[in-house]
Amino acid sequence: MIISARPYPYIAALFSSGDYFDLTCYEFHQLGRESLLYSLIKLGLKVGDRIIIPAYMCDSTIKPLSSYGFNLVFIDIDENLSLPVDKLKKIISNKQIKALLLVHYFGLTQEVDEIIGLCREYGVKVVEDASHGFMSQLLRDKKSVKGDAEIFSMRKSLPVVDGGALRIYNGSYDVTKKNNKCVSIISDTKYLILRLLEKVVTGFGINIYGQFISNIKTKFRSRVNNENCRPNIEPCGISWQLSKYLGNEEYIKSTQHKIVHNFNQLNQALQRIGFRLFVESVKGNVVPQVCVIYDNNGGLVDYLRSKGIGAWRWPGVEMPEQVVHNSSQYPNAVFFDKKLVLIPIHQSIDDKQINYMIQILSRWQL
């Protein structure tokens, strides 16, 4: 059995009609990293300004910032994946910081009031990165969002090729309307065909997560990321497929329900087996992106992928070079990169596949 790391296209939703989300306050890009760069520019930052970045971060996300000319100041996260306020205050007061990137990891909404209060005191702009948490964050009431801007990467939650999005919380900010699409209809259709072919291939039991294929995909992603390090940051229109998913209330709600169901089923079983979980339960409107467990002895990701399960580490090979080369300064980021294993729980996974993952993980514990 092969379990994809990403959800598959849902044909019924693509041929439905209706309006659900009010998208008038959003500006869209193909990728979340483009929305991040655009947000900082629109918040008034200039070339040479300093931005605080969590050390536990994906390099492809922040590379456009340094390419543009911003100076990135890294800070280690704490044991809860939060930013330590005491260290944060020291950096802000000493380094003339203009902005802070605040990440909601794995769809788990962070408690941010104290951090936001500190930034307001020093005039530091805050961008909340909800790239992992579209399903949790997008439906939040506007009053619950404390930062100056919020970015998304919907392709991490939906089977689409685009989905970078930005909300700026400023009553005087005018949203730019663009008719040109973020991706061409050819690219949009190509993505749909390739994902459907992938579903057919994996249905025959071909393991796309084996070492050989994984190495090829890693090299390809590295080349694409290098090509996209200077993105086109002008807003654009969303793809046909994304517009259909966002226009289908039933699909969005059923997706949220299915992900939480999968999370609870897998989490509860893994706790009984004896795994240490990063989060044992979720509350309210939180919709986790993945099931996060600790790999105490190493090798778990390779084991799961050899069994056809699309598990991964994050950021893995995309840990920022400055963090890698100065690992003693960022021990928590390095620890989480090596020890956390992310297991897919997306909406395309059914109970049979959840049970398969439980069986495979049970064998690992023996």
Side-chain angles (χ1 to χ4, degrees):
M1 183 179 294
I2 311 300
I3 300 175
S4 174
R6 303 175 294 166
Y8 286 117
Y10 186 62
I11 300 301
L14 293 178
F15 290 94
S16 65
S17 60
D19 296 318
Y20 180 45
F21 290 114
D22 178 9
L23 303 178
T24 56
C25 62
Y26 297 88
E27 290 175 310
F28 287 91
H29 299 87
Q30 180 177 353
L31 302 173
R33 71 195 69 163
E34 297 168 351
S35 293
L36 173 58
L37 176 55
Y38 190 75
S39 72
L40 292 167
I41 295 171
K42 289 301 178 180
L43 289 174
L45 272 73
K46 308 296 183 183
V47 171
D49 283 345
R50 294 179 177 178
I51 304 168
I52 294 178
I53 303 291
Y56 190 50
M57 194 62 201
C58 181
D59 189 58
S60 60
T61 300
I62 59 176
K63 185 174 289 186
L65 306 185
S66 56
S67 296
Y68 183 81
F70 294 132
N71 289 320
L72 309 186
V73 179
F74 289 94
I75 181 175
D76 201 13
I77 39 89
D78 64 18
E79 64 277 5
N80 297 315
L81 296 183
S82 299
L83 297 177
V85 177
D86 54 343
K87 294 182 180 179
L88 192 60
K89 183 174 183 179
K90 184 177 180 180
I91 293 175
I92 289 176
S93 59
N94 292 337
K95 293 186 177 293
Q96 296 181 324
I97 300 298
K98 298 297 183 181
L100 164 70
L101 180 63
L102 199 162
V103 182
H104 297 284
Y105 295 100
F106 314 132
L108 306 171
T109 303
Q110 296 273 0
E111 294 292 337
V112 301
D113 287 358
E114 190 174 5
I115 293 174
I116 296 293
L118 175 65
C119 290
R120 292 283 183 268
E121 180 182 348
Y122 284 88
V124 174
K125 300 293 185 181
V126 177
V127 177
E128 294 190 52
D129 182 350
S131 295
H132 295 174
F134 158 68
M135 287 294 173
S136 296
Q137 308 296 91
L138 186 68
L139 300 182
R140 287 195 297 171
D141 182 87
K142 184 175 180 179
K143 295 180 181 178
S144 68
V145 182
K146 308 294 175 58
D148 297 284
E150 187 176 28
I151 65 163
F152 303 93
S153 182
M154 297 178 188
R155 69 192 186 107
K156 292 179 172 61
S157 302
L158 298 173
V160 293
V161 71
D162 59 333
L166 160 67
R167 289 194 289 196
I168 289 184
Y169 296 97
N170 184 325
S172 62
Y173 180 74
D174 292 326
V175 174
T176 303
K177 299 297 182 183
K178 291 289 184 178
N179 294 322
N180 60 303
K181 297 294 184 180
C182 295
V183 295
S184 68
I185 188 64
I186 295 176
S187 297
D188 203 10
T189 304
K190 179 181 176 182
Y191 171 83
L192 177 62
I193 293 172
L194 290 176
R195 292 304 316 284
L196 292 176
L197 285 175
E198 177 189 314
K199 188 174 183 179
V200 171
V201 167
T202 56
F204 284 103
I206 298 176
N207 187 5
I208 61 175
Y209 299 108
Q211 192 63 51
F212 177 74
I213 296 178
S214 293
N215 288 339
I216 293 175
K217 289 191 290 187
T218 298
K219 291 179 181 179
F220 174 76
R221 290 194 189 103
S222 177
R223 178 172 63 82
V224 170
N225 287 335
N226 287 334
E227 291 174 352
N228 291 336
C229 66
R230 286 186 174 274
N232 178 10
I233 63 170
E234 288 301 312
C236 49
I238 60 178
S239 67
W240 162 70
Q241 292 178 64
L242 180 56
S243 67
K244 286 295 184 179
Y245 289 124
L246 293 181
N248 190 314
E249 178 179 1
E250 181 181 355
Y251 174 77
I252 295 296
K253 288 188 174 180
S254 65
T255 291
Q256 292 173 307
H257 181 269
K258 182 60 175 175
I259 292 172
V260 173
H261 169 78
N262 287 343
F263 175 84
N264 289 332
Q265 292 288 99
L266 188 57
N267 259 29
Q268 291 167 12
L270 295 186
Q271 288 180 62
R272 291 194 297 268
I273 294 170
F275 277 95
R276 180 188 173 196
L277 282 70
F278 184 75
V279 174
E280 296 184 355
S281 63
V282 294
K283 299 178 181 179
N285 294 323
V286 173
V287 181
Q289 178 201 25
V290 286
C291 174
V292 185
I293 63 177
Y294 286 88
D295 179 12
N296 294 324
N297 300 315
L300 181 55
V301 168
D302 290 339
Y303 167 75
L304 291 173
R305 293 176 76 88
S306 73
K307 301 300 182 182
I309 300 171
W312 71 99
R313 284 168 45 205
W314 187 92
V317 296
E318 287 204 58
M319 180 72 85
E321 289 185 8
Q322 183 173 333
V323 177
V324 173
H325 295 155
N326 300 278
S327 57
S328 62
Q329 298 180 30
Y330 313 104
N332 290 330
V334 173
F335 172 83
F336 285 124
D337 176 54
K338 293 180 178 179
K339 294 298 184 180
L340 294 187
V341 175
L342 313 184
I343 302 176
I345 54 171
H346 55 74
Q347 60 269 33
S348 298
I349 295 175
D350 57 28
D351 288 348
K352 183 178 180 180
Q353 292 172 315
I354 291 291
N355 290 331
Y356 173 74
M357 290 192 285
I358 293 170
Q359 293 173 13
I360 295 299
L361 285 160
S362 296
R363 296 172 193 169
W364 175 263
Q365 288 290 73
L366 296 177

